[in-house]
Amino acid sequence: MPEPTKKEENEVPTPAPAPPPEEPNKEKEAGTAPPKDEEEVFPPNALPPGLCSRALERKDSEWSLGESPATEEQEKQNANSQLSTLFVEKPQTGKVKVGGNITFIAKVKAEDLLRKPSVKWFKGKWMDLASKAGKHLQLKETFERQSRVYTFEMQIIKAKENYAGNYRCEVTYKDKFDSCSFDLEVHESTGTTPNIDIRSAFKRSGEGQEDAGELDFSGLLKRREVKQQEEEPEIDVWELLKNANPNEYEKIAFQYGITDLRGMLKRLKRMRRVEKKSRAFAKILDPAYQIDKGGRVRFVVELADPKLEVKWFKNGQEIRPSTKYIFEHKGSERIMFINNCALTDDSEYYVTAGDEKCSTELFVREPPIMVTKLLEDTNAYCGERVELECEVSEDDANVKWFKNGEEIIPGPKSRYKVKVEGKKHTLIIEGATKADSAEYSVMTTGGQSSAKLSVDLRPLKILTPLTDQTVKLGKEICLKCEISENISGKWTKNGLPVQEGDRLKVVHKGRIHKLVIDSALIEDEGDYVFTPDAYSVTLPAKVHVIDPPKIILDGLDADNTVTVIAGNKLRLEIPISGEPPPKAIWSRADKAITEGSGRIRAESYPDSSSLIIDTAERDDSGVYKINLKNEAGEAYANIKIKVVGYFIERKKKQSSRWMRLNFDLCKETTFEPKKMIEGVAYEVRIFAVNAIGISKPSMPSKPFVPLAVTSPPTLLAVDSVTDTTVTMKWRPPDQIGAAGLDGYVLEYCFEGSTSEKQSDENGEAAYDLPAENWIVANTDLIDKTKFTITGLPTDAKIFVRVKAVNAAGASEPKYYSQPILVKEVIEPPKIRIPRHLKQTYIRRVGEAVNLVIPYQGKPRPELTWKKDGAEIDKNQINIRNSETDTIIFIRKAERSHSGKYDLQVKVEKFEENASIDIQIVDRPGPPQVVKIEDVWGENVALSWTPPKDDGNAAITGYTIQKADKKSMEWFTVIEHYHRTNATITELVIGNEYYFRVFAENMCGLSEDATRTKESAVIAKDGKVYKNPVYEDFDFTEAPMFTQPLVNTYAIAGYNATLNCSVRGNPKPKITWMKNKVAIVDDPRYRMFSNQGVCTLEIRKPSPYDGGTYCCKAVNDLGTVEIECKLEVKGGLSFCRLLLQGVPPNIIDSYLRDLQSSNPEEY
């Protein structure tokens, strides 16, 4: 009988051949065994052959120490953490003893976050600790509102040795990510070695169990069936590690797939200790056993004392001898056999001898189920029943079906049904459609099979097509067709879907389709199409609905009489119907009335016919006949016309008394009532009169309110006058009324076209002039009380009036009292100097000067600026003038801009002058000479002369520094000193000092300082020590290029750089030249010099930027130059350069240089 193999510790599952859905009927999976308090260890025989290579194939394997190379995912996380740091405080590496508690804290700043960030804690690389929270692990988070900091805590309670390892905390917020790794070291509380039990390597943890929250990795490794591999000789890795050099540990671990290198080293260290020998057992059970389902397993222990009584237990219950459990005694060996192992035998076993016991764990592995008969590709038509069959190696095996990789879950509401008959499994699809065309696969624990199902449509035949129909209005329309397949379809009318209703029914019986419309209407006419579902075939038909002509006289009296007032126009419109539209003919006394331009004429439309009589007369009374005809029939009618007049009455809405407005018969259909009160609602009614008498009154009209115009505008006055314009302003009318105010109309006329009339009630003159002599100034109504009349001749005189307009019309005009002379009034000029410019205006060199000086004067004055009595150079100083102010602008002030600026504003013979003092200041120059006047004791007396250049500002003080000759480091002794002599005290005896002085004004210290030529020696008392004389080393060097310029090609429009390096002492002055012309203050070039590296940057070069560039270095010892050529690709034409603002002389020089440098191309 074959012996069972021992359980592989940290077994790595091999990937399934297809998407591996977890089997719900497995009784046990990794992670469900009751937790143990023993420490996780790796027994010497825990890695069987073949597992090493599989462990190497795992993509998620991870080294516990930092020796292995980082994966791509780790590199991405590291990159993200560098780009976006979210942590304020990161968790730190910690140590704890077994049974102790430890807390790790991470803090995240929330100032820039709109919501709480997401934080995850991991052990190793992939073990998420959120699912392990329990009595050994607690996760906590808090938020401090004042500091706006999130605090995340992970607390480990009663730590165990297997909790040691590498941990990681990740925080994410939208596109930001940060990660931090830290280690936990767990030290043993005692020096004893714990018992080695392989069950700790297979310890499982799950929710709801006693020890939820364990941090073991082995609990995450699920047992899956793997394909049988060729047997390889077993290698005891732990024996190799015991006998190997420590330098080879990492190599052996990598070779045999041991990923937890730290745990291996701890385990190896404990294995070398002297294990405590059991007094009851000479040989204990192996840590774990593994057996296939149906096999036989053998447990063996050897007793130190054969007389001891042995008892076997399974999950705490004693095992009694039976046909399944067989016990044997061979000397000191005690053996238990378990026959025909089932999945229920997968549990913990232990044996007791006296007061001691040893335990093991049995793992029962279910053999893989193979697919013995594969699926076959199938073709089917829509609507058919499809069956996909396969056979497996065992009866009633668990089989999963997939469609295009997605699992098929059969159920009462699913279209898919699964039929199982022993080893035969069938997938049934009722009423297949084209959507069922896919790749179907079946998967077992030991194999899989796939096949393609193709569902197509049957060819469609039209047995009876639709036919065109012509139907009378109100009759039934029936469209019928027959096709070869029993499928549904869609009806459309004029391209739109047909909606079923009370009149319209869609009938589908087998292969026959009908569209039935009861009581056909005109709108039912159109093009009907039937389209079978899933086919591109269409069956069209046209329906034409006809209707006999009808004359609709509902709006006339019973005897079809129409009454019209004499002198009015009659338009008698008779509605007609019929399909197709009928032709209408009017006649009187058998004489046809034609359609034309006569006084009595006819007009025809598709839905009506009209009889028109212009200016009705008594002779037009009589009988008129209308006759209609179309292809469906004919109709006619007689209409009698009478010519009469009207009486009109009105009353107030709230009154019941009607008052007649006309006593003579009104022959028109319009009438204008008069003498009504504004704002009072009225109603009107009308009586018709003919030769017989007066009719009943009509229904009263809707109430209406009479409206009146407003009163004239008030206070019309002149606002301003120029040589061609006059601006008038006024106030609104005193009385506006119920109609409101819509706007104003301003009118004017020239003097000499009016006759003066007597003054009005207000004492203002009024003018009597025909309306055609007044010119309207505004084409549209204006709602403002101010308007400018433009386009007037100079020195002309005009009269002006304004009217208020509302719905009732224009009001009485308001006249201006006298004629207005069109000529601008002279206003003497006046300059308003701002307060801050009345004293000297001070700015530093390089700052911008922007001064705004308001002024007044009419007409527009002439402005003149002078600086110190001379004209201003507009290339350096910008002057901008407007109608109300003048602006003097200097982009970068220089000291030459200082001076007195005079402004003259002149209007004809009037003028105004003002002056502004501008002072541009800069830092001063250094003092001229610094001398050591006297040296005594620890004191030195200094004197100096003020600087030649005071920076255009008063010298406010001096700064004095000293430097020891040995170090030549300068230290400030006195600041802001106002005199030109000073005494420096508290100097160190024996040292030799140099001194230098900076000048200071309101802009700061001078850039350079003046140093004393001689040094001051603070001599010691007694013997005078003569310092040895050393010759100073000459560090001076003529300039020399260490890296030359190279010829460069550039692309037009893209920045280009020229680089070289130079050395020399004193530091050489660098000058760049193009075509032997120095480049100075050109914004297209930028020059840099850093640590001897000289760079010339050409911004967006054009072809005319090409040429020979030279870098020149100059110092006191010599001059050196180096050249290179720059060619810019993508040249521009002469016109293009000219449009870009390049001066013609530069373009001409550039083109000549190109022609001389490349004669072959030109």
Side-chain angles (χ1 to χ4, degrees):
M1 181 177 66
E3 290 292 325
T5 60
K6 297 178 182 179
K7 175 65 178 177
E8 299 174 357
E9 183 173 331
N10 286 349
E11 180 179 354
V12 181
T14 59
E22 295 184 5
E23 299 179 6
N25 60 347
K26 275 201 171 184
E27 297 181 3
K28 298 186 66 178
E29 286 191 27
T32 57
K36 306 298 176 190
D37 293 333
E38 291 83 5
E39 181 183 359
E40 282 192 344
V41 297
F42 293 88
N45 53 358
L47 289 173
L51 180 61
C52 304
S53 61
R54 293 196 303 271
L56 291 176
E57 295 174 358
R58 285 175 53 104
K59 292 183 179 179
D60 58 347
S61 60
E62 181 185 48
W63 295 89
S64 297
L65 297 178
E67 293 82 4
S68 70
T71 62
E72 294 181 1
E73 184 177 353
Q74 289 175 334
E75 292 176 357
K76 291 180 180 178
Q77 293 178 356
N78 293 336
N80 290 337
S81 64
Q82 294 175 1
L83 294 175
S84 176
T85 303
L86 297 174
F87 283 116
V88 176
E89 179 179 342
K90 299 182 179 181
Q92 304 296 325
T93 299
K95 300 180 181 180
V96 69
K97 292 184 178 181
V98 175
N101 302 339
I102 188 171
T103 302
F104 296 93
I105 299 176
K107 293 185 177 181
V108 177
K109 195 73 173 179
E111 286 183 353
D112 300 329
L113 308 182
L114 300 179
R115 62 174 186 273
K116 186 182 74 175
S118 175
V119 174
K120 292 185 179 180
W121 299 84
F122 295 87
K123 181 177 181 185
K125 177 181 177 182
W126 49 268
M127 183 178 181
D128 191 349
L129 299 181
S131 61
K132 297 295 178 181
K135 71 175 186 178
H136 289 283
L137 175 69
Q138 293 184 1
L139 302 178
K140 181 182 178 182
E141 61 184 43
T142 57
F143 177 69
E144 299 178 8
R145 295 188 177 274
Q146 295 182 353
S147 60
R148 296 189 62 79
V149 173
Y150 286 97
T151 303
F152 302 88
E153 299 181 5
M154 180 182 74
Q155 185 178 13
I156 298 177
I157 305 171
K158 295 182 180 180
K160 300 180 182 180
E161 287 190 3
N162 61 321
Y163 293 179
N166 180 261
Y167 290 76
R168 188 172 77 257
C169 179
E170 293 183 356
V171 57
T172 56
Y173 177 77
K174 291 186 177 179
D175 56 342
K176 297 183 180 179
F177 173 84
D178 205 352
S179 175
C180 176
S181 298
F182 56 94
D183 295 329
L184 172 63
E185 297 181 10
V186 182
H187 301 284
E188 297 178 355
S189 57
T190 60
T192 60
T193 303
N195 294 331
I196 300 174
D197 189 353
I198 198 171
R199 288 173 296 176
S200 62
F202 293 92
K203 181 165 59 177
R204 304 164 183 164
S205 63
E207 298 180 358
Q209 297 185 5
E210 178 184 356
D211 203 16
E214 290 290 328
L215 306 182
D216 52 36
F217 282 95
S218 59
L220 297 175
L221 300 178
K222 298 182 179 180
R223 297 190 304 107
R224 299 180 183 173
E225 299 299 332
V226 297
K227 294 183 178 179
Q228 296 182 356
Q229 300 180 355
E230 296 181 1
E231 295 184 358
E232 299 178 1
E234 295 187 1
I235 299 175
D236 193 342
V237 180
W238 299 104
E239 289 299 328
L240 290 177
L241 292 171
K242 285 181 182 179
N243 302 325
N245 191 312
N247 296 333
E248 299 180 356
Y249 285 167
E250 183 177 352
K251 178 180 178 182
I252 295 173
F254 181 79
Q255 180 179 357
Y256 291 98
I258 299 177
T259 58
D260 192 356
L261 188 59
R262 181 178 296 175
M264 179 195 76
L265 295 176
K266 289 184 179 180
R267 171 70 185 93
L268 188 62
K269 183 179 179 181
R270 288 194 295 269
M271 288 179 60
R272 293 180 176 177
R273 299 177 183 172
V274 178
E275 298 182 359
K276 183 178 179 181
K277 189 174 182 181
S278 174
R279 292 180 298 175
F281 296 99
K283 181 180 179 182
I284 63 175
L285 294 170
D286 290 334
Y289 294 83
Q290 182 171 298
I291 189 67
D292 290 336
K293 179 180 177 183
R296 182 183 186 190
V297 67
R298 176 174 176 264
F299 295 152
V300 180
V301 295
E302 185 176 347
L303 301 176
D305 184 3
K307 296 180 181 181
L308 292 176
E309 182 181 0
V310 172
K311 292 185 179 180
W312 296 86
F313 294 87
K314 173 186 177 182
N315 289 335
Q317 296 183 359
E318 185 176 356
I319 301 174
R320 300 295 181 182
S322 63
T323 57
K324 186 175 183 65
Y325 302 99
I326 300 175
F327 300 99
E328 288 186 3
H329 292 188
K330 290 183 179 181
S332 60
E333 290 185 350
R334 300 295 183 264
I335 305 171
M336 180 181 72
F337 294 93
I338 303 177
N339 297 324
N340 194 18
C341 290
L343 294 177
T344 56
D345 296 322
D346 188 314
S347 59
E348 180 189 10
Y349 295 85
Y350 65 87
V351 58
T352 61
D355 296 335
E356 296 186 14
K357 72 175 182 178
C358 63
S359 60
T360 186
E361 192 165 356
L362 175 62
F363 292 87
V364 180
R365 182 170 56 190
E366 189 174 3
I369 299 172
M370 309 302 293
V371 179
T372 58
K373 182 180 178 182
L374 303 178
L375 295 174
E376 296 180 355
D377 293 344
T378 305
N379 295 325
Y381 288 114
C382 290
E384 291 184 347
R385 172 189 173 102
V386 179
E387 296 184 359
L388 300 175
E389 297 180 356
C390 71
E391 293 185 3
V392 296
S393 57
E394 291 189 11
D395 293 340
D396 300 329
N398 187 16
V399 171
K400 292 186 180 293
W401 291 87
F402 296 87
K403 176 185 177 182
N404 290 336
E406 296 184 3
E407 184 180 355
I408 298 174
I409 302 176
K413 298 182 180 180
S414 175
R415 297 180 56 251
Y416 302 95
K417 296 180 181 179
V418 177
K419 180 180 179 183
V420 180
E421 296 177 351
K423 299 179 180 180
K424 183 178 179 181
H425 293 253
T426 305
L427 177 65
I428 302 173
I429 305 175
E430 297 287 351
T433 62
K434 293 192 71 173
D436 295 322
S437 297
E439 183 177 357
Y440 292 82
S441 58
V442 61
M443 181 181 295
T444 64
T445 57
Q448 67 173 354
S449 175
S450 61
K452 292 184 178 180
L453 172 61
S454 178
V455 181
D456 297 323
L457 298 172
R458 282 194 177 92
L460 184 68
K461 296 181 180 180
I462 301 175
L463 303 179
T464 304
L466 295 177
T467 57
D468 297 342
Q469 295 188 15
T470 300
V471 183
K472 286 189 176 183
L473 187 69
K475 300 296 182 180
E476 181 182 83
I477 302 174
C478 181
L479 299 176
K480 176 182 177 182
C481 66
E482 184 178 358
I483 56 178
S484 59
E485 298 295 328
N486 182 12
I487 58 175
S488 59
K490 296 180 180 178
W491 290 88
T492 59
K493 174 193 172 185
N494 297 330
L496 299 177
V498 173
Q499 302 293 335
E500 286 193 76
D502 296 336
R503 293 191 312 107
L504 193 147
K505 303 293 182 183
V506 176
V507 181
H508 175 206
K509 291 183 179 180
R511 297 178 298 179
I512 298 176
H513 295 265
K514 290 183 180 181
L515 177 64
V516 180
I517 304 175
D518 295 335
S519 301
L521 302 176
I522 298 299
E523 54 266 22
D524 294 328
E525 185 176 47
D527 295 332
Y528 290 82
V529 177
F530 174 74
T531 304
D533 290 342
Y535 288 90
S536 59
V537 179
T538 58
L539 288 78
K542 292 186 177 181
V543 175
H544 181 46
V545 179
I546 62 175
D547 182 24
K550 292 181 182 178
I551 301 174
I552 303 172
L553 302 174
D554 297 340
L556 302 181
D557 296 340
D559 56 353
N560 297 338
T561 300
V562 176
T563 303
V564 61
I565 299 173
N568 285 357
K569 179 179 179 179
L570 170 65
R571 184 183 182 89
L572 179 59
E573 185 172 349
I574 304 299
I576 60 176
S577 64
E579 187 65 28
K583 182 178 180 182
I585 300 175
W586 287 86
S587 62
R588 179 187 180 191
D590 297 332
K591 184 179 180 181
I593 300 174
T594 60
E595 296 183 4
S597 58
R599 191 176 63 84
I600 302 177
R601 61 186 181 274
E603 292 182 0
S604 297
Y605 301 95
D607 57 349
S608 65
S609 182
S610 300
L611 176 64
I612 301 172
I613 302 176
D614 293 332
T615 313
E617 300 175 355
R618 287 286 182 179
D619 295 338
D620 295 332
S621 299
V623 177
Y624 292 79
K625 182 179 180 181
I626 180 174
N627 188 19
L628 303 179
K629 182 184 292 187
N630 68 359
E631 63 181 73
E634 186 177 359
Y636 67 92
N638 293 325
I639 301 173
K640 187 177 181 181
I641 296 178
K642 293 182 179 181
V643 180
V644 297
Y646 299 98
F647 285 123
I648 299 97
E649 293 182 350
R650 67 166 171 83
K651 75 175 183 67
K652 295 180 181 178
K653 182 180 178 182
Q654 298 177 352
S655 174
S656 59
R657 188 172 68 89
W658 291 91
M659 183 177 65
R660 180 169 292 185
L661 301 180
N662 64 317
F663 295 95
D664 296 328
L665 191 65
C666 179
K667 298 181 180 180
E668 304 291 337
T669 55
T670 60
F671 186 81
E672 182 180 355
K674 296 182 179 180
K675 298 182 180 181
M676 290 186 290
I677 302 174
E678 184 182 8
V680 177
Y682 290 89
E683 291 179 351
V684 175
R685 66 181 182 181
I686 300 173
F687 294 85
V689 182
N690 62 5
I692 304 301
I694 300 176
S695 68
K696 293 182 179 180
S698 65
M699 294 296 295
S701 66
K702 292 182 179 180
F704 62 92
V705 177
L707 301 177
V709 297
T710 66
S711 62
T714 59
L715 301 179
L716 179 61
V718 178
D719 183 65
S720 63
V721 180
T722 67
D723 290 339
T724 57
T725 64
V726 173
T727 301
M728 305 297 296
K729 61 181 179 180
W730 60 92
R731 298 292 297 166
D734 294 332
Q735 298 177 358
I736 294 178
L741 178 63
D742 296 336
Y744 300 92
V745 174
L746 190 67
E747 297 175 338
Y748 68 96
C749 68
F750 293 98
E751 187 183 36
S753 60
T754 65
S755 58
E756 188 170 332
K757 194 180 178 181
Q758 62 181 4
S759 299
D760 58 7
E761 298 176 355
N762 299 325
E764 298 178 355
Y767 301 91
D768 184 14
L769 188 70
E772 57 269 18
N773 291 342
W774 287 95
I775 303 171
V776 179
N778 54 312
T779 56
D780 298 328
L781 292 178
I782 54 175
D783 53 357
K784 296 182 179 179
T785 58
K786 185 177 182 181
F787 187 79
T788 300
I789 305 173
T790 60
L792 299 174
T794 306
D795 296 330
K797 291 185 178 181
I798 62 172
F799 297 97
V800 179
R801 69 182 184 182
V802 63
K803 299 178 183 179
V805 181
N806 63 2
S811 68
E812 290 293 327
K814 174 65 177 179
Y815 293 89
Y816 187 67
S817 59
Q818 58 188 5
I820 302 171
L821 176 63
V822 182
K823 187 174 182 180
E824 189 168 10
V825 179
I826 296 178
E827 180 181 345
K830 188 172 185 180
I831 302 174
R832 299 186 178 275
I833 299 294
R835 181 177 299 177
H836 69 282
L837 297 180
K838 292 183 178 179
Q839 54 188 2
T840 302
Y841 184 79
I842 300 175
R843 277 291 180 271
R844 295 187 180 183
V845 172
E847 293 183 347
V849 176
N850 190 12
L851 304 180
V852 180
I853 297 94
Y855 66 87
Q856 293 177 349
K858 288 185 181 181
R860 185 170 179 173
E862 296 179 0
L863 282 83
T864 304
W865 280 97
K866 290 186 179 181
K867 176 178 178 289
D868 297 329
E871 295 293 333
I872 291 178
D873 185 2
K874 294 185 179 180
N875 295 328
Q876 296 184 359
I877 302 174
N878 295 324
I879 304 295
R880 304 172 188 173
N881 300 325
S882 67
E883 294 181 358
T884 58
D885 56 33
T886 178
I887 300 174
I888 181 170
F889 177 75
I890 304 174
R891 186 177 300 277
K892 289 185 178 180
E894 298 178 359
R895 290 175 59 180
S896 61
H897 295 147
S898 301
K900 182 178 180 181
Y901 290 78
D902 298 319
L903 172 62
Q904 184 184 70
V905 180
K906 186 176 181 181
V907 177
E908 294 186 357
K909 62 181 180 179
F910 302 98
E911 65 179 31
E912 177 81 1
N913 296 295
S915 299
I916 299 173
D917 292 326
I918 298 178
Q919 182 179 355
I920 308 300
V921 299
D922 196 0
R923 290 194 292 179
Q928 298 184 45
V929 179
V930 179
K931 297 180 180 180
I932 299 176
E933 298 292 345
D934 192 11
V935 179
W936 73 96
E938 301 175 0
N939 307 310
V940 173
L942 301 176
S943 65
W944 58 89
T945 57
K948 290 183 179 180
D949 181 13
D950 60 357
N952 204 21
I955 300 297
T956 58
Y958 300 91
T959 297
I960 307 169
Q961 294 183 346
K962 68 178 181 179
D964 190 357
K965 185 177 181 181
K966 299 176 184 178
S967 62
M968 288 308 292
E969 293 184 5
W970 293 96
F971 299 93
T972 301
V973 179
I974 302 175
E975 290 180 307
H976 313 304
Y977 192 75
H978 297 284
R979 300 179 181 178
T980 57
N981 55 69
T983 300
I984 311 303
T985 61
E986 297 181 0
L987 299 175
V988 178
I989 296 176
N991 288 356
E992 187 174 358
Y993 292 93
Y994 285 96
F995 300 90
R996 66 181 183 184
V997 180
F998 291 88
E1000 182 180 5
N1001 64 3
M1002 62 183 298
C1003 295
L1005 296 176
S1006 59
E1007 294 184 358
D1008 301 321
T1010 304
R1011 199 182 77 171
T1012 58
K1013 295 182 180 180
E1014 304 85 16
S1015 62
V1017 179
I1018 310 302
K1020 297 181 180 179
D1021 296 335
K1023 183 178 179 179
V1024 177
Y1025 174 75
K1026 185 177 181 181
N1027 292 326
V1029 178
Y1030 299 99
E1031 295 182 359
D1032 293 335
F1033 183 82
D1034 187 11
F1035 289 94
T1036 59
E1037 181 183 11
M1040 179 180 65
F1041 284 98
T1042 58
Q1043 179 65 35
L1045 292 172
V1046 296
N1047 295 335
T1048 304
Y1049 291 90
I1051 304 300
Y1054 294 85
N1055 291 0
T1057 57
L1058 303 177
N1059 300 283
C1060 63
S1061 60
V1062 65
R1063 73 181 186 187
N1065 191 15
K1067 183 179 179 181
K1069 180 180 178 182
I1070 305 300
T1071 303
W1072 287 91
M1073 295 181 289
K1074 176 191 174 185
N1075 297 332
K1076 298 185 179 181
V1077 177
I1079 300 174
V1080 179
D1081 294 335
D1082 194 334
R1084 294 183 296 108
Y1085 298 90
R1086 294 175 62 189
M1087 290 166 276
F1088 307 93
S1089 179
N1090 185 18
Q1091 301 294 331
V1093 178
C1094 303
T1095 302
L1096 174 65
E1097 181 183 3
I1098 307 170
R1099 297 182 176 179
K1100 297 182 178 179
S1102 300
Y1104 63 82
D1105 288 323
T1108 301
Y1109 286 81
C1110 174
C1111 181
K1112 181 178 179 181
V1114 180
N1115 68 0
D1116 297 337
L1117 301 180
T1119 302
V1120 64
E1121 295 181 1
I1122 190 169
E1123 295 181 349
C1124 74
K1125 291 185 178 180
L1126 173 66
E1127 183 177 353
V1128 180
K1129 300 291 185 179
L1132 301 177
S1133 64
F1134 181 89
C1135 295
R1136 183 77 177 273
L1137 295 173
L1138 194 61
L1139 290 175
Q1140 291 185 355
V1142 180
N1145 59 338
I1146 297 179
I1147 299 175
D1148 184 63
S1149 175
Y1150 156 69
L1151 294 177
R1152 284 200 304 271
D1153 292 343
L1154 284 182
Q1155 187 173 5
S1156 61
S1157 60
N1158 297 316
E1160 297 179 359
E1161 296 181 9
Y1162 293 84

